[in-house]
Structures are given as structure tokens and as C-alpha cells.
Amino acid sequence: MARKSPDKKYVHSQWSSHWAFILAASGCAVGLGNVWRFPYLAGENGGGAFVLVYLLTVALIGIPIMMAEVMLGRRARQSPVNAMRTLAATEGTSRHWQYLGWLGIVGGFVILSYYSVIAGWTLAYIFRVGSGQFALSTGDSVRNIFAEFVGDPERLLAWHTLFMLMTAGVVARGVQSGLEQANRVMMPALFVLLLVLIGYAMHTDHFGAGLAFLFSPDFDRLTGAGVIAAMGQAFFSLGLGMGAIMIYGSYMPKTSSIVSATFTVALTDTLVAVLAGVAIFPLVFANGLAPAGGPSLVFQALPLAFGQMPGGAFFGALFFILLVFAAWTSSISLMEPAVAWLVERHGFIRWKASAWVGVAAWLLGIVSILSFNRWAFAFDFLGARKSSGLFDLLDILTANIMLPVSGILICVFSGWVMRRAHSREELDIRFPRGYNVWLALVKYVSPVLVFLVLLNLLNVFNLF
Ligand code: PHE
């Protein structure tokens, strides 16, 4: 069967403006990672000390790699696989670089499969918290309600199905009327909701305690595993290495400045993570709960806190709506690379490509659903007890292994393989020495730091 030649370049649409890119990429970055993952990781790893390592990682590793990923996408203007193939051809190097594109597409697809399951929980909790189910509940009852919920695969499947439909529905509508429109509405709404919730948290007597926890570093509680977690979280939260930022970059107008867009997106992402902590910890402290609640912080400690506070059902529902918006704008970015690839490589029309990717990710999501009940098993990973078997393994495989590997490869390609004239032209950094600083970071600093983290992760080398 004659396949369409990948060299005949399919022309994708573009964002309508510089700001549309910033909104969309912020939507990709701001997700469950910021509101669900960041606060509990900070809670488990010494609050302020973790936040400090996180900020350093974003500056030294996150921003340079994000610039590189956007740059590669925009230069090639194709889905990650074909982008890497074309770029490698231009640089006169091996076609195998296309596997970096594959790493992104497959990784993003796997994340999408379990991300949709957790996002489904947040949908369910809008109604649970909003209906006042947690009013005056106790720690035990909240725990039981959660255990019963995740113990019921059919229920999880129903919410997962709904969320996957919501995601595919947006992606099917295309770059401008789907992705761009969704971000235009949801991102500002998310900010407003976050500010409302911070206002609510200010009314507890423990606002100061919440801030102190987040901003005063307690280095005794930060372990080597905590440092690794901070780096993994920075990658996950910025949405790096999974083709999402690359494909979003490929829709960016040529006139946009990559530097200013990247800084804005990284800043927004970090701000939302910190603000989510500011909104969450005072509620946790006000109700005498422990900050190190683990992944269940949002689904147990918070419903308990909302259940005990005036107006809690209303504000609790708002909180979970915020989470759904955050998750939704990220899940569409996780689906887009695979969809763009089907469209450009196999000539699928968009809605068909979205349906295929949606169904496949939905099926894989069932593995994660069953990990919380029928197939559950526990294991230890870097000193932490993981109890949701395959779900945890998929999370570790993607967030802790595939993301950093892909990050290193992006650095190697853009720093070592690509001709300087090309990266300099595409990045078009205006301030003096800016390009040299970026180049030094992606050539030496970021890949070496990420590599050390990987080595340590694989227990080859115990550095920390
Ligand atoms: N950044 C998203 C979050 O914080 C998740 C994500 C990861 C999105 C990788 C795209 C690529 O939830």
C-alpha cells in the first residue's frame, strides 16, 4: 500500500496570536500537577525547602529545555515524529532522532490514559463536595467514602469515559476552534477561581501558618528522594518532553518571541502551583490535618476541611471545578501530538483521529482504574510506599523516566547536534549574551543535572 510520503509536508493551522500560544501552553502546563501533585509533594518534603529546589529546577532546567522544545517544534512545524525526522535531515544527521518524537507521542499518550482517570475523580468530587456530602464528616468517614469510590471500577470507568469524551471533543474541533477556544475560556476562569479560593483561605485563622509552611524552608525534612521528586515535578508540571509543548510550538506564529512566551508560561505555571498551595494549606491546618497527606490530600483532607467550614460545599465545588479546568486544558495537549501525527502521516480527518486516540487511551486507562481495586498491589519506590500497582508504575515510567530521558535528548539535539546558526535564528534572543547563556545551559547544565537524577533513580549511583 502506498503510504503518504512524510516529506510532503502537511500544513497545520496556527494559533491566532502570540497570546493564544501563551494561553494554550499555560493550559498545557497548569494541570493536576499544580493543584493536586505539587501541594502534596511539598507537604511530604519539607514545604519551603522543596519549593526552593523546585524553583531552582524550573530556572536552570525547565526554562532552557522548554525554549528548546518550542524552538524545535516551530522550526519543523510538524508532529513530533516528523518534526524530529525533518530536523535531523536538515542537520544531516541520523533518522533515528525520530524516536525522540515517538518517545513524546507515546509518553503523552500513556500520561493521558491515567490522567483522565484522576481527572474523572475530580469531576465526581464536584458533585460530592457540592451536595454537602462531607458536612461535618470525620477523618474516618472521608477516608471510607474515598476508599469506596476508588474501589468501584464501574464508577471510575463512567467518570473516566466522560472525561475522555470531553477531551476528544475539544481536540476534534481543531487548533483554533477547539484548543484555542477552550483555553481562552478556561484559563482566565481558572485564575479567577483560584483567587476566590485564596480569599476564602484568608478567612481561616491559619492563613499565616499555611504561608509559613510553604515559604520557610525546613531543610532537615528534604531528602535526596525529595530533590528527585522536585525535579520530576518540574518536568511534569511544565509539560516538557512529551511532545505537547513541541506540537504547541509548531503552531506558534513565526513572529512570536519564544523567549518571552516561555518565561511567561513557566512563570504562570509556577505561580499557579504556589498559589494552589496558598489556597490549600491554610484549610488543611485550620482543620488540624497533616500537610503530608500524600496523593489523597486533595480527595480526603480537603473535602474534610470543606465539610467543616461555613460555605464549604459551595467553595469546595468551586475548587473541584478549578481542578477539572486545569486537567482539561492539559489533557487536550496530551492528546494533540498523536492526533496531529495521524492527521499528517495517515491523512485522517481530525475528528476521526481524535476518536481513535481517545478510544485507545480510554482502553489503556482501564489498567489504571483496576490498579485501585481488583489489580491493586503495593511496592516500595525510593523510600515511598506505592499502593496502586500498575497505575504507580505507569506514573513512574512516564514522569520519572520517559520525561527526563526525553529532556536530555532534547538538550543533546538542540545544544550539540543542531547548527548554532539555526537555533540562534529560531530563538532570536534579543538581550546580549542571552543566546550564549541558553546554549551553555542546554549543552552542559540541564542535561548533566537531569542525568544525575536519572542515575540516582536507577540506583546506579547514590549521590544524595
Ligand atoms: N503539565 C501537566 C500538569 O501539570 C501535565 C502534562 C505533562 C501535560 C506532560 C503535558 C505534558 O498536570
Side-chain angles (χ1 to χ4, degrees):
M1 198 179 82
R3 281 183 156 180
K4 253 198 206 143
S5 151
D7 304 324
K8 237 198 245 140
K9 210 165 150 180
Y10 176 91
V11 182
H12 290 280
S13 332
Q14 283 188 23
W15 306 116
S16 62
S17 65
H18 180 64
W19 277 100
F21 169 81
I22 291 185
L23 269 186
S26 304
C28 156
V30 173
L32 292 175
N34 305 58
V35 194
W36 168 63
R37 224 161 173 265
F38 179 84
Y40 85 71
L41 286 175
E44 283 177 343
N45 294 291
F50 177 89
V51 176
L52 211 65
V53 176
Y54 180 81
L55 293 180
L56 275 177
T57 316
V58 168
L60 288 181
I61 308 180
I63 292 180
I65 296 186
M66 191 181 228
M67 281 170 64
E69 195 172 336
V70 175
M71 185 252 308
L72 296 178
R74 190 171 73 173
R75 191 145 187 96
R77 292 221 169 286
Q78 283 169 299
S79 75
V81 173
N82 289 332
M84 288 316 300
R85 199 193 317 232
T86 312
L87 291 173
T90 319
E91 302 302 333
T93 181
S94 161
R95 279 168 67 90
H96 291 320
W97 278 103
Q98 66 177 296
Y99 293 111
L100 171 56
W102 278 116
L103 193 64
I105 291 195
V106 173
F109 174 80
V110 174
I111 297 182
L112 174 65
S113 77
Y114 68 76
Y115 204 80
S116 164
V117 174
I118 309 288
W121 301 0
T122 63
L123 276 173
Y125 267 67
I126 297 178
F127 302 99
R128 290 172 165 242
V129 176
S131 67
Q133 192 186 353
F134 294 100
L136 303 178
S137 52
T138 62
D140 277 346
S141 61
V142 174
R143 209 167 306 125
N144 290 340
I145 291 173
F146 182 70
E148 203 185 306
F149 176 62
V150 297
D152 180 350
E154 284 164 33
R155 214 172 263 241
L156 298 191
L157 186 64
W159 290 112
H160 166 55
T161 309
L162 176 62
F163 189 80
M164 196 59 90
L165 281 171
M166 288 161 51
T167 304
V170 172
V171 177
R173 294 172 60 93
V175 176
Q176 287 200 0
S177 24
L179 309 184
E180 186 170 323
Q181 256 333 88
N183 281 298
R184 220 179 263 282
V185 176
M186 281 192 271
M187 289 309 287
L190 184 146
F191 249 106
V192 173
L193 287 177
L194 193 55
L195 294 180
V196 169
L197 285 162
I198 291 176
Y200 183 63
M202 277 175 159
H203 279 92
T204 64
D205 300 334
H206 291 73
F207 193 63
L211 291 190
F213 178 75
L214 266 177
F215 297 114
S216 54
D218 175 1
F219 283 101
D220 294 340
R221 292 196 29 232
L222 184 72
T223 58
V227 174
I228 295 180
M231 295 201 177
Q233 172 62 13
F235 262 85
F236 186 85
S237 189
L238 292 174
L240 299 178
M242 292 293 97
I245 286 294
M246 197 185 283
I247 193 84
Y248 275 19
S250 78
Y251 303 153
M252 189 187 205
K254 276 283 179 212
T255 47
S256 278
S257 151
I258 294 183
V259 189
S260 85
T262 309
F263 272 83
T264 315
V265 173
L267 223 82
T268 309
D269 185 60
T270 310
L271 193 69
V272 173
V274 172
L275 289 182
V278 171
I280 287 174
F281 286 116
L283 304 188
V284 172
F285 289 122
N287 292 282
L289 302 166
S296 57
L297 183 72
V298 157
F299 294 100
Q300 294 180 28
L302 279 188
L304 181 62
F306 283 123
Q308 288 166 357
M309 299 172 67
F314 177 71
F315 288 100
L318 287 189
F319 175 80
F320 283 97
I321 291 175
L322 179 153
L323 260 176
V324 167
F325 283 175
W328 199 358
T329 51
S330 296
S331 65
I332 56 183
S333 75
L334 287 163
M335 186 179 270
E336 181 64 21
V339 167
W341 178 76
L342 282 179
V343 169
E344 100 194 354
R345 182 75 175 84
H346 294 290
F348 277 45
I349 49 173
R350 258 195 98 89
W351 77 261
K352 254 198 190 154
S354 317
W356 276 109
V357 178
V359 168
W362 177 81
L363 278 173
L364 183 60
I366 295 176
V367 170
S368 290
I369 288 181
L370 293 171
S371 308
F372 293 98
N373 34 70
R374 309 265 160 84
W375 294 355
F377 62 86
F379 61 96
D380 284 322
F381 178 72
L382 289 175
R385 188 89 185 134
K386 303 279 178 187
S387 55
S388 317
L390 291 171
F391 165 80
D392 284 321
L393 284 176
L394 287 179
D395 182 34
I396 291 170
L397 174 74
T398 48
N400 295 335
I401 300 174
M402 291 171 87
L403 293 187
V405 167
S406 172
I408 293 177
L409 292 174
I410 289 174
C411 289
V412 172
F413 190 86
S414 47
W416 295 89
V417 175
M418 202 167 180
R419 251 162 277 173
R420 286 191 194 180
H422 294 168
S423 54
R424 190 192 287 273
E425 177 195 47
E426 195 66 41
L427 285 170
D428 191 22
I429 303 179
R430 300 279 164 84
F431 29 83
R433 313 193 77 83
Y435 176 78
N436 293 344
V437 172
W438 171 82
L439 193 64
L441 287 173
V442 290
K443 269 183 110 156
Y444 306 104
V445 182
S446 329
V448 170
L449 284 177
V450 181
F451 191 62
L452 289 181
V453 171
L454 263 180
L455 283 186
N456 192 64
L457 182 78
L458 301 175
N459 250 335
V460 179
F461 211 44
N462 238 332
L463 281 172
F464 301 109

